């Protein structure tokens, strides 16, 4: 699976988005993160693994707890892709607006003939 | 599945992202879109349906061809979510920077004692 596939797949689940939102506020242990979700720990750990595979979250064992944090630039690729497509699209819509305005002006001219 | 789940799921596939990129440049028929991908038409149509279910693409039959276009604001929700999390995170990192600087200054002071 390509990198962006994994990133967007990670983002396609409400539990994983909630984990990202929580980690945006600072690192947290798996226990602290899991506490927010009504889910068995093994199921929750699967979400953590998906987030790690997409390189959004990094975790490491510190003593007896596993600490998680967002990887720097974790969401930059996804944001970059969306921003690029939006720009292409907006440029096109602006061109279309100008075209429609030109048509409307021509129509007005004809109307007054 | 929640709306953002569907949107990010749609974005998690390279073929679907390529369709979005093509449609950002303007509407296209299913045939024109499919031509860019080495894939049987039924498989390609599944991707179009996923894009329609996530409300990123709208299609309608015009005569004998089905025309597709991006829905206005299609990517806004995904962009909005990412932007919000990035802001929370950056605010936190800036606070952390200040904290680390404070620690470093205190450390310097101790070093000169």
């Amino acid at each position: 699976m390509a990198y962006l596939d994994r990133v967007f797949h990670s983002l396609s689940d409400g539990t994983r988005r909630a984990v990202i939102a929580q980690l945006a506020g600072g690192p947290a242990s798996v226990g602290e993160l899991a506490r927010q979700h009504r889910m068995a720990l093994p199921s929750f750990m699967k979400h953590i693994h998906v987030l790690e595979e997409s390189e959004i979250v990094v975790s490491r064992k510190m003593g007896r707890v596993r600490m998680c944090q967002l990887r720097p630039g974790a969401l930059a690729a996804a944001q970059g892709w969306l921003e690029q497509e939006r720009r292409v699209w907006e440029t096109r819509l602006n061109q279309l607006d100008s075209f429609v305005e030109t048509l409307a002006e021509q129509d007005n001219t004809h109307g007054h003939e």
Side-chain angles (χ1 to χ4, degrees), chain A:
Chain A
M1 226 203 275
Y3 173 61
L4 270 179
D5 290 17
R6 279 181 278 130
V7 169
F8 283 124
H9 172 66
S10 254
L11 296 172
S12 72
D13 178 275
T15 300
R16 293 195 291 267
R17 287 197 304 279
V19 168
I20 294 170
Q22 190 172 346
L23 292 178
S29 70
V30 168
E32 285 164 343
L33 293 167
R35 209 167 296 149
Q36 310 296 321
H37 305 277
R38 301 180 81 179
M39 190 178 297
L41 193 63
S43 304
F44 185 75
M45 284 309 295
K46 278 184 198 161
H47 287 302
I48 297 293
H49 290 143
V50 171
L51 286 164
E52 288 190 282
E53 277 162 22
S54 62
E55 297 169 44
I56 292 176
V57 164
V58 284
S59 79
R60 57 178 173 149
K61 198 102 184 179
M62 294 178 78
R64 283 151 54 118
V65 294
R66 178 164 290 278
M67 291 299 294
C68 299
Q69 59 179 48
L70 288 188
R71 203 178 58 80
L75 303 174
Q79 273 204 301
W81 189 86
L82 286 166
E83 182 58 24
Q84 179 190 310
E85 297 316 320
R86 199 177 57 85
R87 265 191 221 146
V88 172
W89 194 29
E90 280 182 359
T91 305
R92 195 207 138 240
L93 289 182
N94 290 339
Q95 288 165 346
L96 197 66
D97 275 352
S98 315
F99 177 66
V100 171
E101 276 165 27
T102 310
L103 283 186
E105 279 163 25
Q106 285 177 353
D107 202 44
N108 274 340
T109 313
H110 282 282
H112 294 298
E113 264 171 11

